[in-house]
Amino acid sequence: MKQQIVISGIGGQGVLFATRVIAEAAMEEGLPVLTSETHGMAMRGGTVISHVKAGPFQSPLIRPGQADVGLFLHGGNLELHRPFIREGGSLFVNRPGPAADGGIDAAKLAADFGHPVIANLVLIGHAVGRGALFCGADTLRAVLRRISPPEQLEINRKGFEIGFGFEG
Amino acid sequence: MNRSERILMGNEAIGRGLVENDCRIAASYPGTPASEILASVADFAAETGASIHTEWSVNEKAAYEVALAASYTGKRAAVSMKQVGLNVAADPVTRSTYLGTKGGLVLIVADDPGPHSSQTEQDSRLFALFAKLPVLDPSSPREAKDMTGEAFRLSEKYELPVMLRPTTRVCHARQNVACGDPERKDVRSRFERNIPRWVATPAFLPELHRRLNEKLDRIAEEEAFYPRLVSRGGEESRRAVAASGVVFAHAAEILENGGFSGKTDLYQVRLPYPLNRKFIGDLRKRYQEVLVLEETDGVIEMQIGSDFVEGRNTGHVPRLGELTPEIVEKILREFLGVPGEAPSAGQGKGKRPSLCPGCGHRAAFFAIRETFPKGIFPSDIGCYTLGMNFGAVDTCHCMGACISQGAGFYHAFAQDGPGFPSIVVTIGDSTFFHAGIPPLINAVSQGARFIVVILDNGTTAMTGHQPTPALGIRSDGSRGAAVPIPELVRAAGVRFLRECDPYDVERMEGILKEADRYVRSAEGGVAVVIAKHPCIVGREARKGQPAYRMSVTEECIGCKACIEDFECGALVFDPDADRVRIDGTLCIGCAVCVHACPVGAITAEGEDR
Ligand code: SF4
Ligand code: SF4
């Protein structure tokens, strides 16, 4: 199994946590994993991107046109980061409005649930629900149980399930 | 799932490597991309019960000196910093190669090709060459961890400090890495007086330098550092690629693919300086064409000789910038004559970073700019550099420079007559400790007249909230002695000192006016204002301050003044309503924006306002 995933967003949206969750899922499945993250000044609300490569890879970075999946927490980054996605790759975008073409209003679903910060998990849940990620829901659930701080576990789990069950 | 494996960030892998390899003293000053190293040493020490002194030193020079002296006692020590931090530590580092070490000493310097988060993209391997210091160049988190042990052993074998030089893409990569138990040697500290070595007056230096050269010659002959032949281009290949660091990882992955396989020999250079002598000779004997891929300058290339190889210096590889995989692919296609095109990255402009909603710095900048519309605003390195987004930061150079820049501006303008401009310098608390104190003494003693605003948010926010000396909290969370900023300011000879909370914009503006009068008075000099408000990213800070219910009334004329001149991310323009609204998920209710609206359309309710 080999899969390359790009997670794009702006600082403060939880791109790093999303990266970690997917990387841990790869390890849970026994796959080698490499990621690359944005740290520093950009984390103050600027554009950030993470790469996750599950399977036998050497470089932490994904070349343009090679990513199998794109998870966009900020639709405004599409112009900049869409070129990473290969032809036929799948795209999941947090954006307002009716769900179409991988779009889902993850921010609103998370806010309605009372925890705007879990839009990242809603989006991951949605991608897993559509069978786009290398792993299934049970792997993700196990990872959330393992790495969530106790007071955050229920909220994270619920965020994932909201996205997972989303029929849009 | 292999239970001894964990997913570690490159910096955590280095921290883990230090703990597993019996490092006993670790010092650092935070800076992206190196910041997570020291924190993970402290965490892994706590987890494994290893006894390690960890410290966030006041700056990189102090950090290096602490670790160096610890090594004199026979214990293993490490120091970590970002590449420009090495400029600050340059003085002790260059001499330490002559005098050498006892216990292993590893100097971890994180480079930032690009640069992504730095004021230069300098190549620390070039500095290693200048300082005559062996340097290891890891290509992945896993390798970075392994190299910490190798660096300690090499350091102890030759009694030399050894540099480990990861780059951003290794520091901030994550990988599954095997973790073991710490090795414990129970070394007891011993210090033997050795005047020719530890005092080393000039009379002793030629001999020390001769020995240093000899050590480097021997290291260049170490078989273990003969570059690894990783893949072959067939028995008779007359072409080779020699690569180091993460660029090696990019190249290896690309060369595995379709059209590339079997086209070239590929070597990984793990120790770029001193480069293995035999390797240089073998390359020249065996190959017709050799391409060197490295970041950021041509250090390996220079040692092999640009007459023979293609690389950064010959122009076959771009002379600056990060070598991303798509750039590496393009270079390899040209070098190997593989047709096809490397797809290029997106061209859009991403969203620029901005101070957090409710950040006290924004309030301080607002007060400064309102008070001195024509002022000159030297500033410095930290979150507050972002004050440039709304015209409150005019310069940013290197840690601590802003105070001397304030003095330089003053002396230049003062020559032209008494009506010099108001110069307001902004410097963060951590930066002030790091490099602001000598320039403050200098400015005072040289009779400069300007205002220094110390933006005191009680932390080193930009790099992940490391404690400053004012807090009296050490890197492992234990209590240390606090060093209060006002006492330092007074001791530097400053006669005008006021403190305020910048959220109280009116009061701060009053203090700034008073400071300006002082600066221009007969007995005036440097005025210091400490603008104190905790970084609101901290949960405690948020709990400790009122949260107002904010709204934008019908009065809003849609002029966007609050968005453009104040730039709080929670203020968003709603084109449908043709006015600004508050994004409730981002707003923390600080109520400072009330001052930013020229028509008074932003209102605060609740609490006691
Ligand atoms: S992290 Fe703290 S100091 Fe930095 S911008 Fe946000 S509130 Fe301000
Ligand atoms: S009160 Fe105003 S300045 Fe403060 S966070 Fe909310 S919108 Fe921003």
Side-chain angles (χ1 to χ4, degrees):
Chain A
M1 182 61 182
K2 259 182 145 183
Q3 193 174 55
Q4 310 192 58
I5 303 160
V6 161
I7 309 166
S8 169
I10 52 181
Q13 285 188 310
V15 169
L16 289 183
F17 187 68
T19 310
R20 194 164 155 231
V21 167
I22 297 177
E24 293 284 350
M27 205 168 81
E28 195 81 22
E29 299 259 308
L31 294 169
V33 65
L34 265 170
T35 76
S36 174
E37 303 170 351
T38 313
H39 288 254
M41 186 77 99
M43 292 166 82
R44 304 276 171 265
T47 292
V48 295
I49 184 168
S50 284
H51 302 203
V52 184
K53 296 167 89 169
F57 290 99
Q58 301 201 54
S59 158
L61 292 181
I62 297 174
R63 273 175 286 158
Q66 304 265 336
D68 304 293
V69 181
L71 301 176
F72 284 76
L73 274 161
H74 180 64
N77 289 356
L78 274 168
E79 190 192 347
L80 187 61
H81 292 151
R82 192 189 190 125
F84 279 106
I85 317 299
R86 70 170 162 80
E87 228 170 281
S90 38
L91 210 57
F92 299 91
V93 187
N94 166 30
R95 66 173 162 227
D101 302 330
I104 170 173
D105 198 344
K108 181 158 185 305
L109 290 167
D112 288 350
F113 169 57
H115 297 275
V117 292
I118 47 110
N120 52 359
L121 290 169
V122 174
L123 194 65
I124 290 179
H126 183 45
V128 171
R130 292 291 149 104
L133 289 199
F134 59 85
C135 58
D138 286 340
T139 305
L140 257 300
R141 290 181 185 120
V143 166
L144 289 179
R145 267 198 305 278
R146 184 155 57 80
I147 71 172
S148 300
E151 69 284 1
Q152 188 67 30
L153 174 59
E154 253 329 283
I155 300 167
N156 286 349
R157 213 189 48 74
K158 188 74 208 283
F160 173 78
E161 299 301 340
I162 291 174
F164 184 67
F166 180 75
E167 313 268 345
Chain B
M1 200 170 118
N2 182 343
R3 288 288 162 189
S4 78
E5 287 208 338
R6 294 195 203 182
I7 295 184
L8 297 184
M9 190 197 286
N11 283 340
E12 294 168 345
I14 291 171
R16 182 77 196 191
L18 294 174
V19 174
E20 286 182 15
N21 284 285
D22 201 38
C23 175
R24 301 295 306 282
I25 279 88
S28 181
Y29 182 81
T32 312
S35 307
E36 298 84 1
I37 298 170
L38 187 89
S40 61
V41 174
D43 290 349
F44 287 129
E47 181 192 303
T48 60
S51 141
I52 304 179
H53 168 81
T54 56
E55 67 169 56
W56 286 119
S57 307
V58 74
N59 62 29
E60 294 85 354
K61 175 168 150 48
Y64 189 77
E65 290 155 350
V66 166
L68 179 63
S71 135
Y72 286 3
T73 74
K75 286 184 174 160
R76 286 185 168 181
V79 48
S80 56
M81 58 191 67
K82 69 181 293 177
Q83 89 286 41
V84 289
L86 182 58
N87 300 340
V88 176
D91 211 357
V93 172
T94 46
R95 180 162 155 93
S96 67
T97 55
Y98 284 62
L99 275 56
T101 53
K102 280 286 179 193
L105 178 63
V106 182
L107 164 60
I108 301 146
V109 187
D111 278 1
D112 187 22
H116 296 273
S117 256
S118 309
Q119 62 265 43
T120 69
E121 58 170 351
Q122 65 197 61
D123 187 337
S124 299
R125 302 171 315 152
L126 208 48
F127 186 100
L129 185 143
F130 158 70
K132 301 198 164 182
L133 181 70
V135 54
L136 290 156
D137 195 356
S139 68
S140 66
R142 200 179 288 150
E143 195 171 56
K145 175 170 178 281
D146 293 343
M147 279 182 177
T148 57
E150 258 180 302
F152 274 131
R153 289 188 291 277
L154 189 65
S155 171
E156 277 163 2
K157 180 165 171 190
Y158 292 97
E159 297 200 348
L160 255 188
V162 170
M163 184 190 288
L164 176 64
R165 196 286 308 234
T167 55
T168 305
R169 299 303 187 180
V170 172
C171 295
H172 292 157
R174 285 182 199 269
Q175 188 176 31
N176 47 314
V177 178
C179 296
D181 293 329
E183 149 195 12
R184 285 198 196 141
K185 298 212 188 108
D186 290 320
V187 177
R188 309 282 300 174
S189 293
R190 276 184 61 194
F191 177 68
E192 279 169 47
R193 176 174 292 159
N194 184 344
I195 306 244
R197 190 160 172 201
W198 304 133
V199 183
T201 49
F204 296 107
L205 286 166
E207 174 56 16
L208 289 170
H209 195 174
R210 190 189 60 74
R211 274 191 233 164
L212 170 58
N213 286 340
E214 218 175 72
K215 290 178 189 179
L216 291 168
D217 286 343
R218 276 162 49 213
I219 295 171
E221 276 155 22
E222 284 256 355
E223 246 170 70
F225 294 107
Y226 189 97
R228 274 185 194 153
L229 179 57
V230 180
S231 60
R232 310 223 37 180
E235 273 312 299
E236 289 304 302
S237 180
R238 310 283 285 156
R239 271 197 298 235
V241 175
S244 80
V246 78
V247 194
F248 161 75
H250 302 332
E253 194 173 299
I254 292 163
L255 290 175
E256 268 175 12
N257 283 326
F260 291 94
S261 64
K263 291 245 182 224
T264 178
D265 287 359
L266 171 67
Y267 291 90
Q268 182 191 9
V269 179
R270 296 165 60 253
L271 187 84
Y273 176 80
L275 188 61
N276 187 281
R277 287 264 159 78
K278 184 161 180 301
F279 178 65
I280 299 176
D282 289 349
L283 281 183
R284 287 184 171 265
K285 261 184 269 157
R286 258 199 81 179
Y287 299 100
Q288 257 156 13
E289 282 177 283
V290 175
L291 171 72
V292 180
L293 293 172
E294 57 188 323
E295 284 176 333
T296 310
D297 288 314
V299 173
I300 298 170
E301 178 184 358
M302 191 192 306
Q303 293 170 83
I304 305 174
S306 294
D307 60 312
F308 179 66
V309 296
E310 300 178 3
R312 295 269 197 185
N313 299 332
T314 61
H316 292 84
V317 176
R319 303 184 73 143
L320 58 119
E322 180 180 13
L323 295 181
T324 55
E326 58 273 21
I327 296 175
V328 172
E329 181 182 338
K330 185 161 171 277
I331 298 166
L332 286 171
R333 282 189 188 280
E334 266 162 40
F335 179 66
L336 301 172
V338 177
E341 227 178 282
S344 49
Q347 291 306 322
K349 262 243 281 332
K351 196 169 174 303
R352 70 179 182 184
S354 170
L355 292 171
C356 300
C359 175
H361 298 337
R362 177 180 288 102
F365 282 132
F366 182 76
I368 292 168
R369 215 195 41 207
E370 292 293 297
T371 312
F372 306 107
K374 296 214 173 89
I376 298 179
F377 306 133
S379 189
D380 223 292
I381 294 172
C383 288
Y384 53 98
T385 313
L386 292 167
M388 70 187 180
N389 289 1
F390 37 97
V393 165
D394 288 327
T395 69
C396 171
H397 199 81
C398 64
M399 295 288 281
C402 61
I403 296 183
S404 302
Q405 287 182 327
F409 278 122
Y410 168 74
H411 293 303
F413 278 102
Q415 284 180 336
D416 301 348
F420 61 89
S422 293
I423 300 159
V424 186
V425 160
T426 45
I427 184 166
D429 45 350
S430 186
T431 311
F432 179 70
F433 278 110
H434 177 285
I437 297 162
L440 184 60
I441 296 171
N442 187 55
V444 169
S445 70
Q446 297 303 320
R449 292 164 179 257
F450 61 97
I451 302 170
V452 176
V453 177
I454 300 176
L455 299 167
D456 181 1
N457 61 2
T459 186
T460 317
M462 174 84 221
T463 49
H465 300 89
Q466 295 81 10
T468 74
L471 293 184
I473 298 172
R474 299 184 18 198
S475 57
D476 58 359
S478 64
R479 297 231 53 99
V483 182
I485 294 176
E487 288 179 25
L488 288 171
V489 170
R490 279 195 203 95
V494 172
R495 298 290 164 255
F496 181 102
L497 173 65
R498 298 281 183 280
E499 291 185 54
C500 64
D501 181 338
Y503 268 28
D504 189 342
V505 172
E506 278 146 31
R507 173 148 188 269
M508 179 156 176
E509 288 181 1
I511 289 175
L512 287 169
K513 282 181 199 141
E514 196 194 334
D516 196 51
R517 284 195 295 277
Y518 166 77
V519 164
R520 293 173 188 282
S521 67
E523 67 291 350
V526 177
V528 173
V529 178
I530 300 177
K532 205 172 164 130
H533 196 96
C535 170
I536 51 84
V537 166
R539 268 186 206 180
E540 291 308 306
R542 290 277 295 280
K543 271 195 221 139
Q545 72 184 49
Y548 298 97
R549 276 197 314 282
M550 304 302 298
S551 46
V552 180
T553 66
E554 308 251 309
E555 312 276 296
C556 173
I557 53 170
C559 69
K560 298 196 201 166
C562 60
I563 294 179
E564 276 148 23
D565 300 345
F566 189 70
E567 206 195 60
C568 172
L571 294 164
V572 285
F573 186 71
D574 181 347
D576 297 330
D578 198 28
R579 65 171 196 216
V580 170
R581 65 176 174 80
I582 308 251
D583 179 340
T585 61
L586 295 175
C587 174
I588 69 155
C590 72
V592 175
C593 54
V594 164
H595 302 273
C597 176
V599 298
I602 307 180
T603 59
E605 268 179 84
E607 303 285 347
D608 50 4
R609 190 173 274 237

